[in-house]
Every structure is written in C-alpha cells, then in structure tokens.
Amino acid sequence: MKAEEARLLHEMRMDSIRNAPQRAAEAKAAEEAKKKAAEAAAKKKAEEEAAYTTYKVPCWLSDDDDYYTAMASRRRGFNQQNTLATATLRAANQQMQQKIKSAFKQVTRDYFDQMDIDENSSEASHIESAGERIIDTYLGDVIEYCREQTRPDSEGMIIMYVGIKVSKKGLIDALSKGLAQEQKDRLRFDEQKFRDDAFKVFEKDRQDSYDDFKNERNK
C-alpha cells in the first residue's frame, strides 16, 4: 500500500512539474488581460473627462474694442518650419481679410441705406471696390502678436499657430481718407457718419465673432 501511495505521489509531482509552464503561461496571460482591461478603462475615463475639460487654444485672442484678430494653424514636417511659418501666416491673413471685408460690406450697406443710395448703383460699386483695395493694402502690415508650435509627434510632424491683429481705428482712418475725392462727392460722403457706422458694425462684429467661437467649442 505504501508503495502504491508513493507511486501516486510521484506521478502527481511529475504532473505538477510538467504542467508548471502551462500554468505559468495561463497566469501570465490572465495578468496581461487584467492589465489591458485596466488600461482600457483608464483610457476611456480620461477621454470622457477630456471631453468636459476646457483648454486654451494657442494664439487665440478675441476681437476687442481696438483690434480685429485672426488665428490660423497648419501642420507639416519639423524640417519644413520656414515654409510652415509662411503658410500659417498667409492663412491667418486670409481669415483677417475675409472678416474685415465682410464687416466693410455691412458698413457700406448701412451707410447707403441711411444716405438713400441704391446699393446696386455704380457709385456704391465704386466705393466697395475702392474700399477693398484699401483693405488689401492695409493688411500688408498686420501685427503678429503670437507664434507657437508643438513638439514633433511620432511622425515628425509639428503644428504651428500664428495670431495677428489690426487696429480698427487705423483701418477706419485708412478707409475714410483713402477714397478719392470724386467718389466722396458722388456719394455725398459724410466722414463722421461713416466712422460712426463703422464703429457700430465693428463692435457688433466683435461680439458675433466671440459667440461663434463659443458655439464652435460647445459642439
């Protein structure tokens, strides 16, 4: 009987030795699965928290009473920083141009209405064309108030941010004084009235721009 017991114990020990690698592998797999599950849960929680976390957009600055602002970002390879800076500044300029020309059209429409001038008349067309040329010239000398870039990512790419601004008063001065005298005569141009209308539109445009930004962030 003792011999049989000894044989069984020996076989059990041998089975334990033979199965040890498999049990170790199973234990390791279970531990890795547990670790992956914990990492997935932590990642999901972080993503959910990030969705409700606000952050500062690099170089973003809202319009104020004195300045129009614009910000653009572009992504390229780290070794293309020079061309990236040019492209990002050009994009910011395009945004500024669109914003100001849109505001200028509203200023002229309001002015035409008050002065009883048909906005489809040749005079109205001339002042709009002249104003857009003045704006293009004025925007050739914008103020760059911010330039930031990220570190290279795993693909060697960076994101550059550029912010620019222009003086509202300077722009209105340029528009008021830049129109040819014959255009002013045809339009019964009242410089002070034009300035007042422009400041009203620019102030409303500042609030609209801020509201658009908030709505975009809340989507």
Side-chain angles (χ1 to χ4, degrees):
M1 188 69 179
K2 289 182 178 180
E4 181 66 17
E5 289 179 352
R7 185 182 66 78
L8 291 174
L9 288 173
H10 176 71
E11 289 181 355
M12 290 175 63
R13 284 196 295 271
M14 293 303 295
D15 286 342
S16 177
I17 293 172
R18 284 193 295 269
N19 293 331
Q22 181 179 350
R23 289 197 300 272
E26 291 174 348
K28 182 178 180 181
E31 184 65 27
E32 289 179 350
K34 182 178 179 181
K35 182 180 179 181
K36 288 181 179 179
E39 290 175 348
K43 181 180 179 180
K44 181 179 179 181
K45 181 179 179 181
E47 289 175 347
E48 290 174 346
E49 291 177 349
Y52 296 97
T53 301
T54 59
Y55 63 96
K56 181 181 178 182
V57 179
C59 290
W60 189 86
L61 186 67
S62 63
D63 297 343
D64 58 25
D65 292 339
D66 299 318
Y67 290 96
Y68 265 130
T69 65
M71 183 276 289
S73 62
R74 289 292 183 271
R75 181 174 181 264
R76 286 189 184 175
F78 180 71
N79 61 348
Q80 296 179 296
Q81 290 186 69
N82 290 335
T83 58
L84 177 58
T86 301
T88 310
L89 180 59
R90 184 186 302 116
N93 267 284
Q94 290 172 345
Q95 288 189 27
M96 182 71 80
Q97 186 180 67
Q98 292 173 0
K99 177 188 290 189
I100 290 179
K101 286 188 176 180
S102 176
F104 175 67
K105 285 185 178 180
Q106 185 59 53
V107 171
T108 55
R109 292 296 188 274
D110 290 351
Y111 181 81
F112 296 158
D113 286 344
Q114 294 177 61
M115 301 301 288
D116 194 25
I117 298 171
D118 184 355
E119 67 178 46
N120 295 317
S121 68
S122 60
E123 289 82 0
S125 178
H126 287 157
I127 193 173
E128 284 196 357
S129 297
E132 290 188 354
R133 288 195 296 271
I134 293 168
I135 289 171
D136 289 339
T137 300
Y138 188 79
L139 293 185
D141 190 27
V142 298
I143 301 170
E144 182 179 319
Y145 65 82
C146 175
R147 180 182 295 193
E148 296 184 22
Q149 69 182 47
T150 61
R151 293 180 178 178
D153 60 18
S154 59
E155 299 176 349
M157 306 292 282
I158 61 173
I159 301 175
M160 181 173 288
Y161 301 84
V162 171
I164 60 175
K165 63 182 181 179
V166 296
S167 166
K168 290 182 177 181
K169 182 180 183 303
L171 176 60
I172 294 173
D173 286 346
L175 289 168
S176 300
K177 297 176 180 178
L179 298 175
Q181 187 58 50
E182 58 270 22
Q183 292 170 326
K184 295 181 180 181
D185 291 340
R186 285 200 301 266
L187 288 167
R188 306 188 302 280
F189 189 78
D190 184 331
E191 185 170 323
Q192 187 56 51
K193 187 172 192 53
F194 183 85
R195 287 174 179 274
D196 292 343
D197 288 349
F199 273 114
K200 288 177 183 177
V201 170
F202 286 3
E203 173 56 27
K204 180 180 182 301
D205 195 59
R206 180 183 74 84
Q207 185 60 47
D208 289 347
S209 175
Y210 180 65
D211 291 342
D212 289 345
F213 175 77
K214 290 195 299 181
N215 292 336
E216 183 66 26
R217 291 293 306 281
N218 291 332
K219 286 182 180 179

